[in-house]
């Protein structure tokens, strides 16, 4: 096993950006694909599985769109223009599991085309909290978009316990040290698989160290 043959068995690559894939839509090409270096989705065509603008900002809509589609990456845009998200190497199934993932990461685009990626910390455990009654939850506190009634578009971030802090030591990916923002948009991209090709992690994960 090597990082080339099994990239998701290793912590996230932080510095090198992934090369474009011809099938990417413009938004994916600019904001999502570059983050996917050294992941199982690096060279795989992606599809827009969930778009909150058309599917709805609800946990039901989120899980209906992404469950059992394998690894995925979210792209969120706040009302003040910040772009950020996270890579989930084990996907969602909506069973209430704490799904592990050593290669999981959070990311944020800073001014000047600066991409910051933050690795999963403390081992693989609880890369995502995959509850059917909540939207995307990276760790218990890392990047959380629970989509609870009255706060459907609220995103929270507290770094340290489950994902690394920012390079300057901040414990949030949001600007000005804020712990939460309001979302303008939320999308999830997942891999495209050929007919008959197995989709990774499309069911419960009884046990995994990575």
């Amino acid at each position: 096993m090597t990082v080339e043959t099994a990239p998701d068995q290793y912590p996230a690559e932080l510095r090198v950006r992934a090369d474009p894939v011809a099938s990417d839509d413009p938004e994916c090409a600019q904001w999502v694909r570059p983050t996917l270096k050294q992941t199982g989705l690096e060279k795989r065509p992606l599809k827009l599985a969930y778009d909150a603008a058309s599917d709805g900002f609800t946990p039901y809509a989120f899980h209906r769109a992404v469950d059992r589609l394998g690894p995925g990456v979210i792209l969120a845009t706040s009302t003040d223009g910040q772009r950020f998200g996270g890579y989930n190497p084990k996907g969602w199934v909506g069973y209430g599991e704490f799904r592990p993932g050593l290669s999981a990461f959070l990311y944020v685009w800073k001014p000047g085309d600066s991409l910051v990626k933050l690795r999963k910390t403390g081992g693989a455990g609880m890369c995502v909290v995959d509850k059917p009654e909540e939207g995307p939850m990276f760790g218990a506190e890392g990047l959380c978009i629970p989509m609870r009634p009255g706060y459907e578009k609220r995103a929270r971030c507290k770094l340290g316990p489950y994902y690394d802090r920012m390079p300057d030591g901040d414990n949030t990916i949001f600007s000005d040290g804020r712990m939460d923002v309001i979302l303008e948009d939320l999308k999830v991209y997942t891999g495209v698989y050929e007919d008959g090709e197995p989709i990774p992690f499309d069911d419960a994960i009884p046990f995994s160290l990575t």
Side-chain angles (χ1 to χ4, degrees):
M1 183 178 69
T2 68
V3 69
E4 288 77 21
T5 60
D8 283 322
Q9 300 297 310
Y10 295 82
E13 161 61 45
L14 301 182
R15 295 174 180 83
V16 182
R17 299 187 185 187
D19 293 330
V21 171
S23 59
D24 290 343
D25 67 48
E27 191 167 39
C28 177
Q30 184 170 5
W31 306 114
V32 175
R33 181 66 66 180
T35 73
L36 294 175
K37 185 67 177 180
Q38 194 180 294
T39 71
L41 296 180
E42 178 180 352
K43 299 178 182 179
R44 182 175 290 275
L46 300 177
K47 64 181 179 181
L48 179 60
Y50 169 74
D51 184 349
S54 55
D55 296 326
F57 271 97
T58 68
Y60 172 77
F62 170 77
H63 283 282
R64 180 178 60 184
V66 305
D67 282 358
R68 296 180 176 270
L69 296 185
V73 56
I74 72 168
L75 171 64
T77 306
S78 65
T79 53
D80 60 355
Q82 298 180 72
R83 287 184 175 86
F84 54 90
Y87 171 62
N88 173 8
K90 298 294 175 63
W92 296 269
V93 295
Y95 286 167
E97 294 178 302
F98 296 163
R99 290 168 81 84
L102 186 62
S103 64
F105 59 81
L106 303 180
Y107 70 91
V108 59
W109 289 93
K110 293 296 186 180
D113 192 40
S114 176
L115 172 62
V116 179
K117 292 171 63 176
L118 306 171
R119 284 174 172 163
K120 178 72 179 66
T121 191
M126 205 182 293
C127 118
V128 295
V129 179
D130 184 27
K131 294 183 178 180
E133 69 273 18
E134 294 182 328
M137 305 281 287
F138 286 79
E141 301 176 303
L143 175 59
C144 302
I145 310 172
M147 299 178 173
R148 292 176 184 145
Y151 301 91
E152 289 88 350
K153 297 184 179 182
R154 182 187 180 195
R156 308 191 314 268
C157 179
K158 182 180 179 182
L159 304 172
Y162 299 96
Y163 287 87
D164 282 338
R165 289 175 176 248
M166 294 288 285
D168 62 3
D170 272 2
N171 67 342
T172 174
I173 61 176
F174 305 136
S175 61
D176 301 322
R178 285 177 290 171
M179 305 300 289
D180 62 346
V181 296
I182 303 302
L183 298 182
E184 178 71 29
D185 192 23
L186 178 65
K187 294 180 170 68
V188 179
Y189 288 87
T190 59
V192 175
Y193 299 88
E194 301 295 334
D195 289 344
E197 184 181 6
I199 297 175
F201 308 110
D202 63 346
D203 209 334
I205 302 176
F207 178 77
S208 174
L209 294 175
T210 59

